[in-house]
Amino acid sequence: MVKLFSSHIFLALFSIIVFQASSESLPSGQPTLPLLSLRIKPNLTSASTCNFKVQISTSCSSVKYTRDQISLSFGDAYGNQVYVPRIDNPSSRAFEACSTDTFDINGPCTYDVCYVYLYRRGNDEWNVKNVRISSRYIRTVTFNYNAWIPKNIWYGFNYCNGAFASSLM
C-alpha cells in the first residue's frame, strides 16, 4: 500500500514538473528557420476571435531603432494562424534597442501556439531577443531568437509536430 501511494506521489510531482517546464518557453537550442514563403491565411471574420498579447524584446546589440516594416505570423499545430501584415509603427519608434514592445492583437482563436515567424522589409536591420505570446485561452510561450532577422524572408521557429509543420513551406 505504501509503495503504491509513493508511486502516485512520484507521478503527480513528475507531471507538475513536466507541465511547468513546458508552459514557459520552447527549446532554445534549436536554430531558427528561414522560410522562402509562408502560406498566409486571411484572418477570417466568421471564425471565433481571440485577443493575444505579443511581447517582442529587441536585443541590446540591435541598432538604436528600426524603421523597417515588420510582419508577424503565429499559430498552432491544427492550422489556426494569426497574421499581422504590419506590427510596427514607425511614428512610435517601436523596436528600440534594449526594449520590449507589447501589442494587443485580435485574430482567430488557436490552441497552444507552436510556431512564430517574423518578416522584415527595410534596410535598418533588427536583432530580436525573444517573442512572447499569451492569451487567456492558451499557455504563454516564449520563442528565444537572439538573432538578426534577415531581410525579405520569413524567419522563426516551428515546433509543431505532424503534417501541418511541413505544409507551412
Side-chain angles (χ1 to χ4, degrees):
M1 177 87 172
V2 172
K3 190 174 187 178
L4 180 63
F5 181 73
S6 63
S7 296
H8 283 20
I9 291 174
F10 172 77
L11 286 174
L13 288 173
F14 180 76
S15 298
I16 291 170
I17 291 168
V18 168
F19 179 76
Q20 277 291 76
S22 67
S23 67
E24 294 192 10
S25 67
L26 294 173
S28 60
Q30 296 250 331
T32 53
L33 303 170
L35 284 179
L36 297 177
S37 66
L38 178 66
R39 289 186 192 162
I40 299 297
K41 296 179 185 178
N43 292 338
L44 302 174
T45 55
S46 62
S48 297
T49 301
C50 289
N51 181 268
F52 298 90
K53 181 177 171 182
V54 176
Q55 295 177 302
I56 301 176
S57 295
T58 299
S59 170
C60 292
S61 63
S62 189
V63 295
K64 186 174 179 179
Y65 67 94
T66 186
R67 295 165 295 185
D68 292 351
Q69 295 178 14
I70 307 297
S71 299
L72 168 74
S73 180
F74 62 88
D76 63 25
Y78 302 98
N80 301 304
Q81 179 187 63
V82 177
Y83 170 62
V84 183
R86 189 159 183 190
I87 197 167
D88 62 290
N89 181 350
S91 63
S92 72
R93 293 178 62 123
F95 308 127
E96 290 184 333
C98 297
S99 70
T100 299
D101 295 286
T102 303
F103 304 92
D104 287 317
I105 296 170
N106 290 316
C109 295
T110 68
Y111 294 97
D112 287 341
V113 172
C114 58
Y115 77 86
V116 64
Y117 285 95
L118 295 167
Y119 187 92
R120 182 181 68 82
R121 178 178 292 126
N123 295 315
D124 285 345
E125 298 187 337
W126 182 39
N127 190 318
V128 175
K129 183 177 178 183
N130 60 50
V131 175
R132 184 178 184 93
I133 302 169
S134 61
S135 174
R136 55 188 285 207
Y137 303 106
I138 61 170
R139 284 185 285 175
T140 298
V141 63
T142 301
F143 295 87
N144 294 308
Y145 275 79
N146 296 313
W148 293 94
I149 305 302
K151 180 178 175 179
N152 299 328
I153 192 167
W154 286 101
Y155 195 72
F157 297 90
N158 186 345
Y159 293 108
C160 305
N161 293 322
F164 179 69
S166 62
S167 72
L168 283 173
M169 294 188 251

